Amino acid sequence: MTQVAREVFGHDRVAALSGPSHAEEVGRRVPTAVVVASEDGALARHVQGLFTSERFRLYTSSDVAGVEFGGAFKNVIAVAVGVSDGLGFGDNTRAALITRGLVEITRLGCALGAREKTFAGLSGMGDLVVTCTSRHSRNRHVGEELGRGRKIEEILGAMKQAAEGAWNCRAVHALAQQHGIQAPIAAELHAILYEGKDPADAVRSLMTRDAKPE
Amino acid sequence: MTQVAREVFGHDRVAALSGPSHAEEVGRRVPTAVVVASEDGALARHVQGLFTSERFRLYTSSDVAGVEFGGAFKNVIAVAVGVSDGLGFGDNTRAALITRGLVEITRLGCALGAREKTFAGLSGMGDLVVTCTSRHSRNRHVGEELGRGRKIEEILGAMKQAAEGAWNCRAVHALAQQHGIQAPIAAELHAILYEGKDPADAVRSLMTRDAKPE
């Protein structure tokens, strides 16, 4: 989005604000913490000052690519978590998908020029956790319906709002292949979405990969 | 626990198995992924082989201290998340506490000789996420009651099961002070538990710390 903003506004003074921040909660003054990233450090600190309140805390970062990439890839993992829920799996499975999902996000993000630390922060892990555990996530809903055996065209056709995860999965899977990065959760979700793979078989593929160190 | 096991069994062939693994879900064959850590690499791989199944996936690690420390400190953050819930806050607040909580766990763990990577893994982030988002966590329950204004003696007196978090908080806070490590969430929880601080004031203190980079 900062690339788009640069083109549209015709200047480089852009910053990205991201993190676990459901808008309806921010509106209710629920304590919220986010990160504001810009290559221009003074701009990031300026935005930090503008928005800081007793209920809204901002950390600065210079890793714009990392902050933006985390916000996109997290939707893919949220769909995968939904598939697990739709198959009737539990909290253990969800936590494993979130944790190993963040490994994939970090690996691919770093190959694309982002910094590893960013993914351990609010725009990485924080946003991933809130998206994967909130009842209101549209991406999780898409995954749940997939897990129950419905097809993606049917699910998206019945929805009034956008669920980016299905599209993000295509982009992430292509980027991972292009850069030779292992992203097995994204690959299995891609197989469910676009190659007709049965969700239960995809789970089996993930659980029976070669034994390895963490 | 591996120190205790060493003393009791009188030999060094010990391993620690940890991660997001509610026992009742493992019993129902819900897909679960954990980490097994030992200084003895052959032993870790042996345990990995023993327990691996289509529904139980193990990763090996040599960072025993990191795996054990994550399992203890996570209880402190779970109590803090409960306080937030008891005060009526939302998913944003919880995600911020989990993310910034993991920063504290990692910082103190590394000062105690653990490896940073371990905390991004199943026994760190994974276990933290499952404990902080499960309805059944006893530590979260303790926090919720604190957030509603009850005192810790009263809460623990009414419980039949142990909730380690209140004890872990004392240990963690002491270790952080001893090693000169900033652990503001643990410090504020300590103030609520043992110094009579009002939970709403503790939240205010956390949200209004100096503005800083992530």
Side-chain angles (χ1 to χ4, degrees), chain B residues 2-210:
Chain B
T2 56
Q3 288 174 351
V4 176
R6 270 202 180 87
E7 281 175 33
V8 172
F9 299 125
H11 66 71
D12 280 346
R13 285 179 53 84
V14 290
L17 193 154
S18 191
S21 48
H22 285 311
E24 62 277 24
E25 291 193 359
V26 176
R28 287 195 287 117
R29 293 177 49 77
V30 164
T32 299
V34 298
V35 56
V36 54
S38 178
E39 281 146 31
D40 178 345
L43 178 63
R45 286 188 298 277
H46 178 66
V47 175
Q48 182 182 45
L50 280 178
F51 284 99
T52 292
S53 81
E54 272 196 16
R55 295 299 180 98
F56 200 72
R57 181 165 172 81
L58 297 97
Y59 294 82
T60 55
S61 165
S62 58
D63 185 12
V64 181
V67 164
E68 293 192 278
F69 184 70
F73 198 158
K74 69 142 202 286
N75 297 319
V76 179
I77 306 302
V79 178
V81 165
V83 172
S84 161
D85 290 343
L87 285 166
F89 297 151
D91 293 347
N92 293 356
T93 325
R94 181 200 294 176
L97 285 168
I98 292 175
T99 306
R100 298 303 303 177
L102 188 61
V103 172
E104 294 184 19
I105 295 176
T106 305
R107 225 184 255 152
L108 184 55
C110 290
L112 297 170
R115 281 201 305 274
E116 187 170 346
K117 281 261 178 199
T118 303
F119 299 107
L122 292 159
S123 64
M125 173 183 165
D127 201 10
L128 179 67
V129 166
V130 86
T131 305
C132 291
T133 59
S134 164
R135 290 154 307 248
H136 308 296
S137 163
R138 296 186 299 273
N139 290 303
R140 243 190 80 193
H141 169 74
V142 168
E144 263 186 89
E145 296 295 311
L146 284 170
R148 292 195 184 112
R150 288 178 63 194
K151 293 291 158 213
I152 186 66
E153 302 78 23
E154 198 187 332
I155 301 166
L156 294 179
M159 286 176 74
K160 293 217 172 72
Q161 289 176 297
E164 297 170 65
W167 300 105
N168 294 154
C169 183
R170 232 189 248 275
V172 158
H173 184 60
L175 283 167
Q177 290 201 308
Q178 201 177 312
H179 291 266
I181 300 291
Q182 289 210 4
I185 298 172
E188 291 297 334
L189 183 64
H190 190 271
I192 295 172
L193 284 169
Y194 305 115
E195 302 159 31
K197 187 162 185 174
D198 184 73
D201 289 338
V203 172
R204 200 166 302 120
S205 301
L206 283 175
M207 294 297 289
T208 55
R209 301 176 69 231
D210 288 344

Side-chain angles (χ1 to χ4, degrees), chain A residues 114-144:
Chain A
R115 281 201 305 272
E116 187 169 346
K117 282 263 178 198
T118 303
F119 300 106
L122 291 159
S123 64
M125 173 182 165
D127 200 12
L128 179 67
V129 165
V130 86
T131 305
C132 291
T133 61
S134 163
R135 289 155 305 250
H136 308 296
S137 162
R138 296 185 299 273
N139 290 301
R140 242 189 82 194
H141 168 76
V142 168
E144 264 187 89

Side-chain angles (χ1 to χ4, degrees), chain A residues 43-60:
Chain A
L43 178 64
R45 286 188 298 277
H46 177 66
V47 175
Q48 182 182 44
L50 280 179
F51 285 99
T52 293
S53 81
E54 271 195 17
R55 296 299 179 96
F56 200 73
R57 182 165 170 80
L58 297 97
Y59 294 82
T60 54

Side-chain angles (χ1 to χ4, degrees), chain A residues 44-195:
Chain A
R45 286 188 298 277
H46 177 66
V47 175
Q48 182 182 44
L50 280 179
F51 285 99
T52 293
S53 81
E54 271 195 17
R55 296 299 179 96
F56 200 73
R57 182 165 170 80
L58 297 97
Y59 294 82
T60 54
S61 165
S62 59
D63 185 11
V64 180
V67 165
E68 293 191 278
F69 184 70
F73 199 157
K74 67 137 205 288
N75 296 319
V76 179
I77 306 302
V79 177
V81 164
V83 172
S84 162
D85 290 342
L87 286 165
F89 296 151
D91 294 347
N92 293 357
T93 324
R94 181 199 296 177
L97 285 169
I98 292 174
T99 307
R100 297 303 302 177
L102 189 60
V103 172
E104 295 184 18
I105 294 176
T106 305
R107 223 185 259 151
L108 184 55
C110 291
L112 298 171
R115 281 201 305 272
E116 187 169 346
K117 282 263 178 198
T118 303
F119 300 106
L122 291 159
S123 64
M125 173 182 165
D127 200 12
L128 179 67
V129 165
V130 86
T131 305
C132 291
T133 61
S134 163
R135 289 155 305 250
H136 308 296
S137 162
R138 296 185 299 273
N139 290 301
R140 242 189 82 194
H141 168 76
V142 168
E144 264 187 89
E145 296 295 310
L146 285 170
R148 293 197 182 111
R150 288 177 64 195
K151 294 292 157 210
I152 186 65
E153 301 77 22
E154 199 187 331
I155 301 166
L156 293 180
M159 286 176 75
K160 294 218 172 72
Q161 288 177 298
E164 297 170 65
W167 299 106
N168 294 153
C169 183
R170 231 189 248 272
V172 158
H173 183 61
L175 283 167
Q177 291 201 307
Q178 201 176 313
H179 290 266
I181 300 292
Q182 288 211 5
I185 298 172
E188 291 297 334
L189 183 64
H190 190 271
I192 295 172
L193 283 169
Y194 305 114
E195 302 159 30

